[in-house]
Amino acid sequence: MGSIPRSMTVHMTAELTRACKAGDNVVLTGIFLPVPYTGYRALRAGLLSDTYLEAMHIEKLKKDYDEQVNSPEVQEQLVRITEDPNLYGRMAESIAPEIFGMEDVKRALLLLLVGAPERTLPDGMKLRGDIHICLMGDPGVAKSQLLKYISGVSPRGVYTTGKGSSGVGLTAAVVRDAASGEMMLEGGAMVLADRGVACIDEFDKMREDDRTAIHEVSFLYQEQLTP
């Protein structure tokens, strides 16, 4: 948040292949190596060379629910908490505790984080178990603070603003790879938050065509790209 976006080429081999996917927050440990130019590019570059990171270890900062391993002490605490008759209210109060009140909003955000299993009907139709929440209110009532907290708590959460994001930046874009020159897909904020939570602030300040571009992704969980 607030830093200049930068990119770096990382080479992963052996067991590190597919150890992470787009949207994961990871810490990479490796060796910073140069890649000298060849041919005409070497004449133009002179002593300059391209660089890449040879990854040796990958550590995920946020693990998915199926990857988390709880200790026996944590399991015992979970069993004790489930016996509380006011469990729903206590869990809702634990969301953004620095923000006073807004119990109903926090309860709705808790249901958003928990979600529900996806259902597939006998005719093949799929019913999504996740819900969408639209927060509306006067300025200064902690709407953005709640969104930032939810994106930080979720194992896969992305926070973005609708004012500075286009429909392509929120869904997906076709770009040209700088190394190979081939066309490739580059995922946006909603693609990076797949199976997670995508928080879009200042939704009303988006352009109308950009707002309609995310409807298909929001309701059908798919995006059709046309050349």
Side-chain angles (χ1 to χ4, degrees):
M1 297 296 298
S3 59
I4 300 177
R6 301 183 184 274
S7 61
M8 176 185 297
T9 302
V10 181
H11 292 180
M12 302 179 184
T13 57
E15 68 275 2
L16 296 182
T17 305
R18 299 186 182 275
C20 60
K21 51 188 176 181
D24 291 339
N25 295 328
V26 298
V27 175
L28 297 176
T29 303
I31 305 174
F32 198 58
L33 298 174
V35 179
Y37 293 112
T38 58
Y40 179 69
R41 296 182 63 186
L43 297 178
R44 294 184 56 186
L47 298 178
L48 299 178
S49 63
D50 198 1
T51 56
Y52 74 98
L53 182 68
E54 185 72 26
M56 298 296 175
H57 178 71
I58 300 177
E59 178 185 357
K60 283 189 177 182
L61 297 180
K62 291 184 178 181
K63 296 183 179 180
D64 296 335
Y65 293 114
D66 53 355
E67 297 178 354
Q68 297 179 3
V69 179
N70 296 327
S71 61
E73 292 78 9
V74 176
Q75 292 285 356
E76 182 179 355
Q77 292 180 2
L78 291 177
V79 174
R80 190 183 307 111
I81 291 176
T82 54
E83 299 175 354
D84 187 359
N86 192 26
L87 176 61
Y88 185 27
R90 288 186 57 187
M91 294 184 64
E93 292 175 356
S94 63
I95 294 180
E98 67 275 6
I99 300 176
F100 178 77
M102 306 184 69
E103 290 84 2
D104 294 338
V105 177
K106 293 182 179 181
R107 288 173 181 263
L109 294 176
L110 176 61
L111 297 179
L112 171 69
L113 290 174
V114 175
E118 183 178 302
R119 295 175 54 192
T120 302
L121 300 181
D123 57 355
M125 179 182 295
K126 293 185 178 181
L127 301 179
R128 57 183 175 85
D130 302 323
I131 62 175
H132 302 309
I133 294 181
C134 178
L135 300 180
M136 296 185 297
D138 296 331
V141 293
K143 299 187 300 295
S144 300
Q145 295 297 327
L146 288 173
L147 291 181
K148 291 181 180 180
Y149 186 87
I150 293 299
S151 63
V153 170
S154 176
R156 293 181 64 85
V158 176
Y159 175 85
T160 184
T161 58
K163 185 176 181 180
S165 301
S166 61
V168 174
L170 291 174
T171 55
V174 180
V175 298
R176 186 177 298 276
D177 189 7
S180 62
E182 299 179 354
M183 304 303 293
M184 58 178 293
L185 288 177
E186 187 177 80
M190 302 192 70
V191 177
L192 297 180
D194 184 34
R195 300 296 177 180
V197 180
C199 302
I200 305 177
D201 199 2
E202 298 181 348
F203 194 80
D204 60 315
K205 296 180 177 60
M206 294 178 59
R207 296 187 304 175
E208 186 64 28
D209 52 351
D210 294 336
R211 192 181 298 117
T212 55
I214 67 175
H215 284 173
E216 185 177 7
V217 183
S218 302
F219 293 99
L220 300 179
Y221 292 164
Q222 63 183 10
E223 173 70 8
Q224 297 181 2
L225 299 177
T226 56

